[in-house]
Amino acid sequence: MFKNKYQFKKIFARRIVEKYGKSIENSHVTERYSVLCEMVRQQASFNWKISKETISQLEAKQMYYFSMEFLLGRLLTNNLMNLGFYEVVKEGLEELGLNINELEELECDLGLGNGGLGRLAACFMDSIATLSLAGHGNTIRYEYGLFKQRIIDGYQVEVPDQWLKYGNIWEVRKPKYSVRVPFWGEIEISSDEENNLICKHINQEFVRAVPHDMPIIGKDTKMTNTLRLWNCEPCDDVANIKDVSKYLSSVREITQNVYPDDSTEQGKYLRLKQQYFFVSAGLQSIINNHKEEYETLDNLSDKVVIQLNDTHPVLAIPELMRLLIDQNGYTWWRAWEITSKCFAYTNHTVLAEALEKWPIEYLKKLLPRIYMIIEEINRRHISETYKKTGDAEFAEKTSCIKDGLVHMANLAIIGSYSVNGVAKLHTNILKDVVFKNFHQLYPQKFNNKTNGITHRRWLVYTNPELNEVLQKYISDDYIYNPIELEKLMDHVDKRDLQYEFLDVKQKRKFILSKFIEQETGIRIPTTSIYDTLAKRLHAYKRQLLKCLHIMYLINKIKQDPNFTMHHQTFIFAAKAAPSYTFAKKVIKLITTLSDIVENDETLKKHIQVVFIPNYRVSVAEILMNATDVSEQISTAGKEASGTGNMKFMMNGAITLGTLDGANVEIHELVGEENDVIFGLKVEDINKLAYEEYNAREVMQNDPELKKILDSLIDGSLSPNKDEFKIIYDELLYKNDEYFVLADFKAYCKAQEEIQARYQNKEQWAKSCLINIAKSGYFSSDRTIKEYTDDIWHTQRIF
Ligand code: NBG
């Protein structure tokens, strides 16, 4: 334990010798990094112990966040900052002749996830601990993170993300708390003396789930929670393994990759295995813990709440039933009473293809007992619904077993006491459209929890320049109470502040431009408007719309020798799922446009196009705060919330967006002078779809648009005329599912509005400051308070 820099220096130097048998001067930077992180973790361990003891003494209720994804990013800086030791360590290292940045930069991102859903889980962990609540994470310890993206000849190439290359210093392996998870086999049914049904699972194949715990450190609090990562290992105490090497490789693959390709039958089985593996292990450890504490499971739902992050962990519902009935002797009725009070479900998408449905056959084979339980849950649900409504057809519509498939979202709603969407608009769509029948049946279950982000990571720590200016005007209260950012409203008209803000932006742009040059070789002036679209690549997010606008500008610049505009840089960052051909073509289109512009001095005078490879948390940390224009241009009704929009806003970027997801709430808060909203609204889209939207007609009525679309297939972008045909076909032969063409004109106009507004520097700065002032609402501290008050009912521990 160190309290000041002198103690720190002494311990640090001693540890280097103890661990590596070297002096500091002779140690390698990775060795210094490793010793520093171990010291930080040990420092946190004292609080970890106190937290566990206090929770136990208070007999406090605990929340468990079950999620397939946790996109933690880097942890060293955040942990040091939250512990309040950053300056001590920085100075101590400096006096030893070492630079803390070098160690910070060494850390691999913990990329155990894909996008917003995983990052949300990570932001929540920070707020939960900081608010001194007992809330833990439960997930998979993937051997490889989501792939590393490289760009070769303009195409995305995936390489493995070996985040464990140097080990994960933050985790502690705890084999003592391993549990066994069963797959396959058959169910033998018999009855006991009292005629109760006894189900015995036989011939199953077991794997071992080994927990690796990471401390989640809150800001300036003792509260330290646990993120439990489950690793899959072989069992050595089972007799019926026929082929050991086959068994070993089937064990290994369970925790190998984030979202393995599920286009094949084998891939689907693997995903199901992953899902069951981490929920079964998580529940078993919760139950073991609870029994040790209370010697009964009768009060489980008073002491435990499990938040299901989307449908991926929904097998937890039948699994808890199994554990209660088969392993703890509860009756169905009592088990259901407990289970249905333990779970709350968050929906994160309305896209039909993302609402998981599993073929009955797969579940029956892989998880025979779980499937039996799902059938029984559903049978009782349908019968009760029929009793309640007298409408058999209606009851059938809410079934979770339909057309040979198990509908996981339906199972989630049936088995949870709370169902929430992640932004107001999204929750309304859930109630009125996607889960309309369920909403009629259980109106009291539905509620909204607009997403949030941890403003500590996304502003205080990663934009120190802005933090300094904010503290000067409104003190540091906002670090603990983000709504205090609103106080900035008293100052937004001050010229001094406006120029200080613009100066901060310049500094951040300088940092980003250096990074971009290093990664792509492209140099961009810091006087340019930095206009960024950074999120997963998906058709509904409409990266393509931005491409069409760039092509439109290219044509204009070429046609008009007197063309003028403020230099604007169009920045993209996005990974495409490896099997998503269309999305990968859009990346190729972006990199093609980037090359065209870079090789043409006339174009380059006005615009530049950049694709930043391998988008991840640590890139977002320097990208968001250097951005002037935040692009949030999804088809209205499709983006559940978005959280990037909040990060940009908080760092003083103007949203250029559609009325979708949380953009709607940003717009309500900042007003139309301080964002640029364009395009079709949800109602317009519904109407257009109903009236049979015709993309071809839109093109034919707009000669400029036609020219742009033709260039996709006439060889002017690529010598291979077929290169972008799939994009052309999507728009014109498949009738533009996401209304890109319908919104094209409005988007071009919105971009002109950005250009016009940027001319007035002071007014622009004022708008940015208003965005910052209003962004406190989007702190995950606010979101977590709402979850706590309305759903979890957990108490402050310290
Ligand atoms: C994503 C949505 C985003 C939302 C995040 C977090 C999935 C399935 N959903 O709009 O697309 O911000 O979840 O709620 O990843």
Side-chain angles (χ1 to χ4, degrees):
M1 186 86 162
F2 56 92
K3 290 212 166 65
N4 54 45
K5 73 177 169 196
Y6 306 103
Q7 286 176 345
F8 167 75
K9 281 188 333 191
K10 221 169 103 190
I11 301 177
F12 183 78
R14 200 184 65 220
R15 291 285 177 85
I16 294 262
V17 182
E18 284 170 357
K19 186 162 179 193
Y20 296 106
K22 287 182 186 173
S23 66
I24 292 184
E25 300 79 65
N26 290 331
S27 64
H28 188 257
V29 60
T30 54
E31 295 167 342
R32 298 169 192 162
Y33 164 78
S34 150
V35 165
L36 175 60
C37 292
E38 273 167 19
M39 283 174 70
V40 177
R41 200 194 64 219
Q42 282 163 10
Q43 194 85 6
S45 291
F46 292 97
N47 289 340
W48 213 358
K49 169 176 172 283
I50 298 171
S51 299
K52 288 173 194 163
E53 288 168 359
T54 313
I55 291 169
S56 167
Q57 272 158 21
L58 294 172
E59 302 195 345
K61 186 172 184 184
Q62 303 186 71
M63 190 283 295
Y64 296 86
Y65 203 78
F66 276 32
S67 175
M68 284 278 271
E69 303 186 27
F70 279 87
L71 263 189
L72 296 167
R74 291 174 172 160
L75 291 174
L76 176 58
T77 315
N78 208 78
N79 284 345
L80 278 172
M81 291 277 192
N82 276 6
L83 284 168
F85 283 122
Y86 190 81
E87 288 305 319
V88 166
V89 169
K90 185 174 169 226
E91 283 171 26
L93 288 172
E94 241 160 45
E95 289 176 17
L96 294 168
L98 306 174
N99 181 347
I100 192 166
N101 298 135
E102 233 177 274
L103 305 187
E104 291 171 309
E105 286 300 314
L106 205 68
E107 190 168 17
C108 292
D109 277 45
L110 278 81
L112 308 181
N114 184 12
L117 175 140
R119 184 53 231 175
L120 183 78
C123 283
F124 279 6
M125 287 294 115
D126 182 72
S127 288
I128 291 168
T130 300
L131 294 173
S132 196
L133 300 162
H136 315 283
N138 186 67
T139 190
I140 295 174
R141 183 178 185 274
Y142 301 101
E143 189 179 344
Y144 300 102
L146 190 70
F147 65 87
K148 232 186 205 165
Q149 179 192 55
R150 296 189 52 205
I151 300 296
I152 298 178
D153 295 334
Y155 298 98
Q156 166 176 303
V157 174
E158 301 98 33
V159 294
D161 170 35
Q162 301 188 51
W163 71 288
L164 287 170
K165 206 163 26 180
Y166 305 116
N168 173 16
I169 295 164
W170 303 110
E171 71 188 13
V172 189
R173 181 181 150 90
K174 296 190 173 157
K176 182 165 161 285
Y177 297 103
S178 298
V179 295
R180 299 198 310 174
V181 178
F183 294 109
W184 314 107
E186 298 96 45
I187 305 302
E188 225 177 47
I189 302 180
S190 57
S191 49
D192 64 11
E193 311 85 63
E194 288 153 26
N195 235 0
N196 293 316
L197 215 62
I198 305 287
C199 290
K200 197 169 163 218
H201 194 174
I202 54 166
N203 297 329
Q204 63 285 55
E205 181 180 283
F206 281 105
V207 300
R208 203 156 71 98
V210 183
H212 292 61
D213 287 355
M214 289 170 61
I216 301 290
I217 300 166
K219 168 77 180 154
D220 295 343
T221 163
K222 289 204 193 80
M223 197 64 213
T224 305
N225 286 316
T226 303
L227 172 61
R228 183 156 270 194
L229 311 168
W230 291 99
N231 192 41
C232 187
E233 298 181 17
C235 278
D236 53 7
D237 52 355
V238 280
N240 62 344
I241 298 168
K242 287 182 209 98
D243 180 336
V244 175
S245 68
K246 227 167 130 189
Y247 171 67
L248 287 179
S249 66
S250 82
V251 166
R252 181 157 187 231
E253 73 178 358
I254 292 180
T255 51
Q256 199 161 43
N257 287 308
V258 183
Y259 295 127
D261 178 16
D262 68 347
S263 54
T264 62
E265 181 174 309
Q266 201 204 352
K268 287 200 178 67
Y269 272 112
L270 179 54
R271 275 229 202 156
L272 252 185
K273 272 191 179 176
Q274 289 192 325
Q275 297 189 350
Y276 183 66
F277 169 77
F278 93 99
V279 300
S280 174
L283 284 172
Q284 291 186 56
S285 82
I286 290 172
I287 284 186
N288 292 343
N289 220 346
H290 187 90
K291 284 210 285 203
E292 207 167 288
E293 192 75 41
Y294 300 101
E295 290 169 3
T296 171
L297 293 173
D298 290 356
N299 63 345
L300 189 71
S301 64
D302 300 333
K303 301 296 175 193
V304 166
V305 48
I306 295 164
Q307 191 70 40
L308 301 170
N309 198 26
D310 223 39
T311 48
H312 320 129
V314 167
L315 288 171
I317 294 170
E319 173 66 0
L320 182 56
M321 290 295 283
R322 179 184 80 90
L323 294 170
L324 289 172
I325 298 171
D326 295 357
Q327 303 205 342
N328 291 280
Y330 279 84
T331 63
W332 179 280
W333 181 82
R334 259 306 272 153
W336 183 247
E337 197 178 43
I338 295 171
T339 300
S340 57
K341 285 189 198 146
C342 278
F343 291 102
Y345 158 61
T346 307
N347 172 283
H348 293 268
T349 179
V350 300
L351 296 191
E353 67 266 28
L355 291 170
E356 288 182 297
K357 299 173 195 78
W358 292 111
I360 289 175
E361 283 317 304
Y362 293 20
L363 273 165
K364 255 190 186 164
K365 275 196 205 147
L366 185 69
L367 308 167
R369 177 64 180 136
I370 291 298
Y371 182 70
M372 277 176 76
I373 294 174
I374 295 176
E375 261 189 330
E376 184 59 16
I377 291 175
N378 198 45
R379 194 187 64 74
R380 291 177 187 237
H381 160 74
I382 301 266
S383 127
E384 270 163 38
T385 307
Y386 177 66
K387 247 192 254 158
K388 197 167 156 185
T389 62
D391 184 342
E393 206 180 310
F394 177 88
E396 207 42 54
K397 279 191 198 152
T398 64
S399 171
C400 66
I401 306 178
K402 275 192 274 196
D403 316 321
L405 299 168
V406 178
H407 293 236
M408 301 308 278
N410 293 11
L411 178 59
I413 301 173
I414 295 167
S416 301
Y417 67 89
S418 162
V419 177
N420 75 283
V422 290
K424 271 196 226 165
L425 175 71
H426 169 61
T427 301
N428 287 336
I429 295 174
L430 294 183
K431 289 186 195 171
D432 300 341
V433 187
V434 186
F435 301 134
K436 190 170 164 213
N437 297 321
F438 279 114
H439 181 239
Q440 271 175 32
L441 196 58
Y442 315 121
Q444 75 291 350
K445 286 193 188 186
F446 284 78
N447 63 91
N448 177 57
K449 296 287 165 281
T450 297
N451 281 166
I453 56 170
T454 164
H455 63 291
R456 285 170 290 278
R457 178 181 286 259
W458 293 105
L459 196 175
V460 185
Y461 306 157
T462 49
N463 195 347
E465 295 85 355
L466 181 57
N467 176 43
E468 198 185 313
V469 172
L470 291 176
Q471 294 210 9
K472 186 169 133 193
Y473 285 85
I474 59 166
S475 89
D476 66 355
D477 292 348
Y478 86 94
I479 297 177
Y480 309 92
N481 189 11
I483 213 70
E484 293 280 308
L485 281 169
E486 181 87 30
K487 286 197 176 142
L488 200 63
M489 286 306 284
D490 298 340
H491 308 283
V492 296
D493 282 310
K494 294 185 180 156
R495 286 281 176 269
D496 281 0
L497 173 59
Q498 291 169 1
Y499 281 96
E500 280 168 85
F501 168 75
L502 291 170
D503 186 46
V504 165
K505 202 46 108 181
Q506 278 302 307
K507 287 185 180 140
R508 298 307 314 181
K509 282 179 164 184
F510 184 74
I511 294 171
L512 178 64
S513 66
K514 283 264 160 261
F515 177 77
I516 288 176
E517 187 176 352
Q518 177 195 314
E519 293 295 303
T520 66
I522 297 177
R523 297 171 80 150
I524 48 173
T526 54
T527 48
S528 178
I529 302 175
Y530 285 23
D531 169 326
T532 309
L533 179 52
K535 45 184 89 244
R536 283 176 298 141
L537 218 141
H538 198 289
Y540 85 81
K541 295 180 187 276
R542 301 201 297 192
Q543 281 90 353
L544 183 55
L545 179 56
K546 192 167 152 89
C547 291
L548 297 185
H549 172 247
I550 294 168
M551 291 158 81
Y552 164 83
L553 284 178
I554 291 176
N555 290 345
K556 278 198 112 170
I557 298 167
K558 286 288 183 194
Q559 276 158 18
D560 179 0
N562 299 319
F563 181 87
T564 60
M565 67 184 277
H566 191 105
H567 190 279
Q568 192 165 344
T569 303
F570 301 105
I571 303 171
F572 294 83
K575 285 180 181 174
S579 58
Y580 193 173
T581 318
F582 171 82
K584 287 177 139 177
K585 270 295 177 214
V586 174
I587 292 180
K588 176 65 179 168
L589 179 59
I590 297 166
T591 54
T592 302
L593 294 174
S594 176
D595 287 347
I596 289 176
V597 174
E598 282 308 303
N599 291 312
D600 187 320
E601 288 307 320
T602 320
L603 294 174
K604 222 172 138 175
K605 263 207 320 250
H606 301 289
I607 59 172
Q608 275 175 288
V609 180
V610 174
F611 185 89
I612 302 180
N614 200 27
Y615 186 45
R616 58 195 184 277
V617 175
S618 59
V619 168
E621 285 171 358
I622 53 173
L623 180 56
M624 307 256 169
N625 58 34
T627 288
D628 299 303
V629 181
S630 153
E631 300 247 9
Q632 308 299 335
I633 59 178
S634 51
T635 315
K638 299 294 181 198
E639 188 70 273
S641 164
T643 42
N645 46 3
M646 303 168 186
K647 294 162 200 163
F648 283 113
M649 170 197 195
M650 198 173 265
N651 284 281
I654 303 297
T655 303
L656 167 57
T658 48
L659 281 180
D660 197 15
N663 301 351
V664 176
E665 287 157 78
I666 293 178
H667 181 62
E668 278 170 12
L669 283 167
V670 303
E672 62 183 8
E673 313 84 61
N674 303 305
D675 62 11
V676 178
I677 296 296
F678 75 96
L680 299 167
K681 303 188 186 61
V682 175
E683 313 84 86
D684 305 327
I685 299 245
N686 292 342
K687 198 159 154 247
L688 208 57
Y690 182 74
E691 287 168 356
E692 293 179 2
Y693 167 62
N694 184 338
R696 210 160 254 284
E697 221 172 84
V698 177
M699 173 185 78
Q700 254 130 21
N701 292 331
D702 183 343
E704 280 176 308
L705 180 58
K706 180 161 188 329
K707 191 172 167 201
I708 294 165
L709 295 174
D710 284 345
S711 70
L712 287 170
I713 50 164
D714 67 7
S716 49
L717 292 177
S718 159
N720 170 9
K721 283 191 183 174
D722 288 340
E723 181 77 273
F724 300 114
K725 193 160 178 316
I726 137 168
I727 296 180
Y728 184 87
D729 289 352
E730 197 61 47
L731 293 173
L732 295 159
Y733 287 100
K734 298 195 180 156
N735 203 32
D736 184 17
E737 186 180 352
Y738 294 105
F739 300 92
V740 176
L741 303 187
D743 268 341
F744 173 70
K745 261 217 164 92
Y747 179 68
C748 294
K749 264 192 83 181
Q751 280 284 5
E752 281 164 21
E753 177 67 21
I754 291 284
Q755 281 278 326
R757 290 199 199 174
Y758 200 78
Q759 294 318 307
N760 185 341
K761 281 249 169 273
E762 289 153 1
Q763 191 59 36
W764 180 272
K766 180 180 166 185
S767 272
C768 296
L769 289 164
I770 292 176
N771 270 276
I772 297 169
K774 298 288 178 184
S775 70
Y777 178 77
F778 296 107
S779 165
S780 43
D781 290 3
R782 187 268 314 151
T783 314
I784 289 304
K785 281 188 189 137
E786 292 180 5
Y787 273 94
T788 308
D789 292 346
D790 303 342
I791 305 175
W792 302 337
H793 307 297
T794 43
Q795 66 185 91
R796 284 191 78 98
I797 303 298
F798 295 106

